[in-house]
Amino acid sequence: MCGIVGYVGPNSSLDVLLAGLSRLEYRGYDSAGVAVLDRAGHLGTRKRAGKLVALLDDLEVEPLRDGETGIGHTRWATHGRPNDGNAHPHLGDNGKLALIHNGIIENFSELKQELLDAGETFTSETDTEVAAIMVGREFRATGDLAEAMRRVVARLEGAFTLLVMHEDVPGVVVGARRNSPLVIGLGDGENFLGSDVAAFVEFTRRALEIGQDQIVTIRPDSVVVTDFDGNDVEPREFEVEWDASAAEKGGWSSFMAKEISEEPEAVANTLLGRVVEGAIHLPELDPIGDDVLASIDRIVVIACGTAAYAGLLGKYAIEKWARIPVEVVLSHEFRYSEPVIGPRTLVVSISQSGETMDTLMAVKYASQAGARVLSICNTQGATIPRESEAVIYTHAGPEVAVASTKAFVAQVTALYVLGLHLARVRERLSAHQIAEQVSELQQIPAKLADVLVSSERIKQLATWMADTRSVLFLGRHVGYPVALEGALKLKELAYIHAEGFAAGELKHGPIALIEPGQIVFVVVPSPRDPLSLHPKVISNIQEIKARGARVIAIAEQGDTAAIALADEVIPIPLAPPLFEPLLAVVPLHIFGMELASAKGLDVDQPRNLAKSVTVE
Ligand code: F6R
């Protein structure tokens, strides 16, 4: 959950580190810190609780002497409160070594006791300081920073990315990773390390993946990667597809506003190259193969949060088109239910970051249990794709706002593309039927652009409702995951109690919540819906209106029943039922953002959250 950046090279370390941290702040933002080796060979550190700006202000008042080697960190607290003392870097070897960490060292209590018994003292409540002191001791014994790191990681349990630097070895940063992200940026006479490529994309788009249980040593002119035993490893190089400007706000008031505006593009880019003359083209699935895909008897989707709601929509589409049973399981629940999976199960993980620890662990469990594992992921060089047999990358571009928006519509698009591919290999849909669905899918970006036109009206509604304490969301069939997503966005962005329900469930309990003035969003199916759900949901609206609810309907343009009953209708363009959620979700993304803004909250960095949840 923390953001990590490391630099060796001729330029100002501080400039590189602070630029990297500002791009990584979405990963964690309760404190930040840097360590720099100045040109006289002295290690200086500075760290502050609060957002990055607190550190920047501090450096403004009292500058740190700059140099050519440095590490930087933005924290999301696990062990120890977010205060100056617990912020990273932590020091070892009498202040000559600085270390930063992402993850959790699970056996830190026993290691700390061992160090206390050996006479070491601690200045923080963190698990990280244990690693700093241990690496310092091993460096004193070996004089070799990479070897010291190797000896220490052999004793650590849990998940970690560690970066370390030492006064006695200028121009060197050593990193290690286990179940936590780290990538290398390759420069010209300079090299970088980062939790993700955002840390260094401003300086280079050439990157190297680092695998599990590996150690990397960067110098200005070399990069050496080994496994934890010291054997050389050849890392895979890749080109970062987006540039620094893609991660800038570009004139928008927030990253979230920008990312919602990019929802049409996220769908279009995820389809790009995957539709050839009306047919689905997914060479990424070759490592699994059509024969295997034709013979699987079940799909289990694993994901968390918004990605899991995308999975629920994938279930409707895949079951309808390919006639394979699909189960959607929250990643953190998956392994504990002793799932019945084997070689004929396709496990599909969905993760924007590709680093969510719960999903990563579920992916590993599924592989070990012999299932076939496919990932849907938005982040190149991330861990989950590396642990999977095949990956369908969503091309939503970098998502910086902590709450997911454009990644969601891209994930749904990728699942639909997968569903149509499966329908072909299993001969459940003809080429003509697939071409019809593909054509509908290709029209979604333009229709999404139409939905964005309602933004101003939704902003007005949100502003009027700024004092609301509770909002309910109802949906049926594919509208149900949309209701869940609308409620999640409101909770996490505006800190308002919000719940999503399947509309049919209303009379089985939740209707008791309805009292005069209760705001209820209702995702209304199309009146042309072949499942005839429209009149049922209209009846639900009547039931809650009769009890005094204020209803905001997300309904197809021209839905006269919805217009007659609801207090407000947000229109969406006509689309077949399976594709409606891609359109209906956007007003709810806008509503969550605008209500949070109306309350004066930071929509990009809601409290207590982190963009990628790299602890279980
Ligand atoms: C909600 C949100 C989270 C993520 C979840 C999974 O707005 O962003 O619920 O969807 O933490 O994250 P990824 O997709 O990175 O695995």
Side-chain angles (χ1 to χ4, degrees):
M1 333 263 281
C2 307
I4 278 186
V5 55
Y7 176 72
V8 285
N11 294 315
S12 154
S13 288
L14 262 180
D15 287 353
V16 174
L17 299 178
L18 295 174
L21 289 182
S22 72
R23 287 194 203 291
L24 291 179
E25 204 183 11
Y26 68 91
R27 298 181 68 93
Y29 35 84
D30 61 40
S31 44
V34 287
V36 175
L37 202 54
D38 70 23
R39 290 183 174 86
H42 171 74
L43 182 79
T45 60
R46 187 68 52 78
K47 45 194 205 171
R48 282 292 168 264
K51 294 199 173 182
L52 183 59
V53 67
L55 177 69
L56 297 177
D57 288 348
D58 199 85
L59 288 168
E60 187 85 11
V61 175
E62 195 189 336
L64 194 62
R65 280 212 301 245
D66 208 353
E68 300 177 355
T69 312
I71 55 179
H73 188 266
T74 172
R75 179 170 186 245
W76 186 86
T78 54
H79 289 75
R81 283 158 295 154
N83 57 26
D84 289 355
N86 289 333
H88 301 207
H90 289 281
L91 302 179
D93 199 8
N94 296 317
K96 287 164 57 172
L97 171 147
L99 178 142
I100 54 178
H101 168 218
N102 173 27
I104 293 180
I105 298 169
E106 285 171 359
N107 57 337
F108 92 101
S109 305
E110 73 192 60
L111 295 171
K112 186 167 181 173
Q113 192 53 54
E114 202 177 294
L115 292 167
L116 287 168
D117 292 346
E120 298 286 356
T121 51
F122 288 79
T123 58
S124 79
E125 306 155 325
T126 64
D127 50 344
T128 306
E129 196 175 5
V130 168
I133 292 175
M134 288 173 76
V135 181
R137 288 166 70 91
E138 294 296 348
F139 181 77
R140 275 205 300 278
T142 61
D144 180 332
L145 203 51
E147 178 56 26
M149 182 73 106
R150 257 189 290 282
R151 289 184 180 196
V152 171
V153 293
R155 301 210 49 212
L156 303 184
E157 287 166 20
F160 48 81
T161 300
L162 299 168
L163 293 195
V164 64
M165 57 189 280
H166 195 290
E167 254 182 30
D168 293 354
V169 276
V172 175
V173 174
V174 174
R177 68 165 293 202
R178 165 175 288 165
N179 290 335
S180 180
L182 185 63
V183 280
I184 305 165
L186 293 175
D188 194 6
E190 57 183 354
N191 287 306
F192 308 79
L193 292 169
S195 307
D196 65 48
V197 295
F200 49 73
V201 69
E202 182 179 347
F203 307 104
T204 180
R205 289 167 68 178
R206 284 179 63 209
L208 292 175
E209 286 181 359
I210 312 177
Q212 288 303 351
D213 290 3
Q214 291 180 359
I215 290 185
V216 53
T217 305
I218 57 165
R219 296 185 172 80
D221 51 4
S222 72
V223 171
V224 177
V225 182
T226 69
D227 61 20
F228 277 3
D229 295 327
N231 303 307
D232 283 343
V233 171
E234 195 62 53
R236 188 185 78 84
E237 185 171 338
F238 65 99
E239 179 88 10
V240 182
E241 278 175 2
W242 45 275
D243 60 15
S245 64
E248 300 288 357
K249 279 189 214 160
W252 292 90
S253 56
S254 62
F255 279 107
M256 175 159 259
K258 171 175 176 267
E259 287 160 11
I260 291 174
S261 81
E262 290 169 346
E263 296 203 41
E265 211 180 323
V267 172
N269 287 347
T270 300
L271 289 175
L272 211 65
R274 291 179 170 143
V275 175
V276 180
E277 291 173 359
I280 298 290
H281 180 62
L282 275 182
E284 314 73 329
L285 297 185
D286 289 354
I288 297 181
D290 285 357
D291 290 354
V292 171
L293 293 176
S295 66
I296 51 163
D297 56 19
R298 197 162 139 255
I299 293 179
V300 182
V301 175
I302 48 176
C304 301
T306 285
Y309 301 153
L312 288 174
L313 289 173
K315 171 182 163 75
Y316 289 104
I318 296 170
E319 289 188 338
K320 180 169 171 62
W321 291 330
R323 306 303 298 153
I324 312 171
V326 181
E327 191 186 349
V328 182
V329 186
L330 293 168
S331 311
H332 36 88
E333 292 293 326
F334 177 66
R335 8 179 213 155
Y336 305 103
S337 63
E338 294 184 40
V340 185
I341 53 175
R344 285 162 68 92
T345 316
L346 178 68
V347 169
V348 179
S349 89
I350 311 173
S351 175
Q352 186 287 130
S353 60
E355 300 293 350
T356 299
M357 182 59 79
D358 293 314
T359 305
L360 174 62
M361 288 304 165
V363 161
K364 286 186 171 183
Y365 181 96
S367 296
Q368 276 158 13
R372 313 307 302 244
V373 180
L374 163 69
S375 287
I376 293 177
C377 182
N378 195 43
T379 311
Q380 290 171 290
T383 309
I384 292 171
R386 289 174 60 89
E387 296 288 331
S388 312
E389 277 173 273
V391 49
I392 301 178
Y393 279 107
T394 47
H395 296 301
E399 196 179 60
V400 177
V402 165
S404 199
T405 53
K406 64 175 178 171
F408 174 80
V409 288
Q411 286 160 349
V412 175
T413 306
L415 284 159
Y416 283 10
V417 166
L418 172 65
L420 292 172
H421 180 85
L422 291 171
R424 180 185 63 74
V425 298
R426 299 170 75 88
E427 297 176 5
R428 290 293 185 167
L429 291 184
S430 66
H432 175 68
Q433 287 168 315
I434 290 175
E436 275 177 353
Q437 300 299 331
V438 164
S439 155
E440 293 289 353
L441 200 44
Q442 285 177 312
Q443 293 172 41
I444 293 296
K447 293 181 183 179
L448 273 171
D450 287 347
V451 175
L452 288 172
V453 171
S454 308
S455 299
E456 266 313 305
R457 179 70 191 142
I458 300 167
K459 182 176 177 172
Q460 280 172 351
L461 290 174
T463 311
W464 292 335
M465 292 177 195
D467 295 331
T468 303
R469 298 177 63 86
S470 161
V471 180
L472 304 181
F473 294 79
L474 299 182
R476 191 151 184 171
H477 183 238
V478 287
Y480 173 42
V482 176
L484 294 174
E485 168 67 357
L488 177 59
K489 286 289 110 86
L490 206 55
K491 279 182 250 207
E492 64 180 336
L493 293 169
Y495 318 151
I496 285 177
H497 171 254
E499 271 192 82
F501 296 107
E505 192 64 8
L506 198 65
K507 53 193 169 300
H508 299 285
I511 198 162
L513 288 170
I514 306 293
E515 54 188 18
Q518 171 69 52
I519 294 165
V520 186
F521 274 81
V522 183
V523 183
V524 183
S526 162
R528 304 166 297 114
D529 168 24
L531 299 171
S532 302
L533 286 171
H534 181 262
K536 296 191 169 67
V537 173
I538 291 294
S539 298
N540 292 142
I541 296 181
Q542 268 157 341
E543 286 153 17
I544 55 175
K545 283 288 296 174
R547 288 160 178 84
R550 286 178 61 201
V551 172
I552 303 167
I554 318 274
E556 189 174 280
Q557 279 156 10
D559 181 339
T560 45
I563 293 168
L565 274 177
D567 296 275
E568 186 76 37
V569 176
I570 297 166
I572 56 170
L574 274 60
L578 280 175
F579 301 107
E580 275 173 9
L582 285 165
L583 306 174
V585 78
V586 175
L588 300 185
H589 285 165
I590 300 171
F591 181 72
M593 175 184 71
E594 294 295 357
L595 192 50
S597 302
K599 290 179 74 176
L601 299 171
D602 181 343
V603 296
D604 286 338
Q605 297 179 342
R607 69 184 178 201
N608 304 339
L609 294 174
K611 181 71 182 160
S612 86
V613 184
T614 53
V615 291
E616 274 190 281

